[in-house]
Amino acid sequence: MEVNGIPLGFPVSFMQIKEMTMLYSCAMREICTKLENLSQEFELKEARNPIQHINHRLKKTESIRNKMLQKGLPLEYEVMRDEITDIGGIRVICSYINDIYAIANMLKQQDDLLIVREKDYISNPKKNGYRSYHLIVAIPIFLSSEKQIIPVEIQMRTIAMDFWASLEHKIHYKFEGDVPENIKNELVECARMVSDLDIRMLKLNEEILAITRERGR
C-alpha cells in the first residue's frame, strides 16, 4: 500500500519526495539540454543528427524501496540519496553505434559533469543479450542558497537495441521474472541478430558517406 505515493514502511516524508522530484527533474533537464546542444553541434559539423530521440523518467518510490531492500540498505532518505544513482534516468536513442560513442565522449569532456560510473554493454553484452552504453554522471544543481550534486543515469542505445530491450522487458514482466528457458535462448539469438544488423547498418552508412564524399570532389 501507498500513502501520497509513498510505500508503507519507507521513512521518507511527502516533502522529501517533493524535494527529490524537484532536484532530479532539474538534473535531468540540465543534461537533456546538454545532449540537445551537442546534437545540434554534431548536426552542424556532420550535416546529420546523431540522436533520434531522448526520453527521461523519475524512478518510482516503490522501485527505489525495492532496490534498497535488494541491496540490503537501510530505508533512510540520506542513504537513498547517496546509494541509489538511477533515480533520475535518461535514455538516448541513436542511429548508429559510433554515434553512441561520439556522444559519450562529448559528455566526458564537459567540465561540469563528473563521471561516476561507466558500463559498456555494447562491447560486453549481458548474458541475456542486453546491449547498451551506460553512464552515471553527477551534475551540480544551483539553488537559491546552495549547490547540490545530483547523479543521473544515461543509457544510450541504437534503435535496434532499444526495440530488443523493450520487448525483453515486456516478456520479463509478463512472466514475473520466471521466463521459460526456450524463450530466454530465443531472446539471446535475437540479440545476436540485432548486433549483426547494427554492424551492417553502420558499414552501409560509412560506405554511403564515402561515395558521397567522392562524388563531392
Side-chain angles (χ1 to χ4, degrees):
M1 292 181 62
E2 294 186 356
V3 178
N4 291 326
I6 303 172
L8 293 180
F10 195 21
V12 178
S13 71
F14 181 64
M15 284 305 298
Q16 286 174 323
I17 291 296
K18 289 184 70 175
E19 178 191 56
M20 181 189 76
T21 300
M22 182 270 291
L23 289 172
Y24 285 90
S25 295
C26 289
M28 288 188 290
R29 186 162 55 245
E30 291 278 353
I31 294 174
C32 284
T33 298
K34 285 179 175 292
L35 288 165
E36 289 165 1
N37 291 343
L38 290 172
S39 183
Q40 287 183 10
E41 181 190 9
F42 199 105
E43 188 169 15
L44 177 66
K45 292 180 177 179
E46 305 291 336
R48 69 181 187 85
N49 194 333
I51 297 177
Q52 292 295 313
H53 59 269
I54 302 170
N55 297 325
H56 59 85
R57 64 99 183 99
L58 191 67
K59 202 175 191 71
K60 294 181 179 179
T61 50
E62 179 66 30
S63 297
I64 296 171
R65 177 181 181 275
N66 291 340
K67 189 165 188 176
M68 292 178 75
L69 290 173
Q70 289 171 5
K71 288 176 171 286
L73 299 172
L75 297 177
E76 299 172 2
Y77 183 66
E78 290 74 17
V79 174
M80 177 189 72
R81 286 284 307 274
D82 291 341
E83 299 294 335
I84 307 301
T85 55
D86 64 343
I87 294 174
I90 296 173
R91 185 170 299 155
V92 183
I93 309 302
C94 298
S95 299
Y96 305 105
I97 295 172
N98 60 348
D99 291 337
I100 293 174
Y101 290 109
I103 295 295
N105 288 332
M106 290 178 189
L107 286 172
K108 291 176 189 178
Q109 293 173 22
Q110 301 275 323
D111 57 12
D112 61 342
L113 283 184
L114 172 66
I115 306 301
V116 177
R117 194 177 306 136
E118 180 179 6
K119 291 185 178 180
D120 186 351
Y121 294 118
I122 297 175
S123 298
N124 301 286
K126 291 186 178 182
K127 289 183 179 180
N128 66 349
Y130 176 84
R131 294 166 67 244
S132 186
Y133 190 96
H134 292 195
L135 276 179
I136 295 177
V137 301
I139 187 168
I141 300 300
F142 294 90
L143 305 175
S144 59
S145 59
E146 62 177 333
K147 177 180 74 173
Q148 294 208 27
I149 307 299
I150 305 297
V152 173
E153 182 185 59
I154 305 171
Q155 296 181 359
M156 289 175 274
R157 306 172 181 169
T158 64
I159 300 169
M161 292 176 199
D162 190 55
F163 170 74
W164 182 93
S166 297
L167 180 61
E168 191 274 344
H169 178 76
K170 290 177 182 177
I171 291 172
H172 189 83
Y173 180 80
K174 189 177 185 67
F175 286 98
E176 298 181 344
D178 188 22
V179 181
E181 200 64 29
N182 65 310
I183 295 179
K184 287 182 182 178
N185 294 336
E186 187 66 22
L187 281 169
V188 172
E189 181 59 29
C190 286
R192 293 195 188 100
M193 294 170 65
V194 165
S195 178
D196 181 59
L197 175 62
D198 271 332
I199 293 169
R200 293 177 66 179
M201 292 300 291
L202 176 59
K203 290 180 178 178
L204 178 62
N205 182 62
E206 290 174 342
E207 183 178 348
I208 292 169
L209 290 174
I211 293 171
T212 302
R213 284 193 293 267
E214 183 66 28
R215 289 180 177 177
R217 288 180 181 178

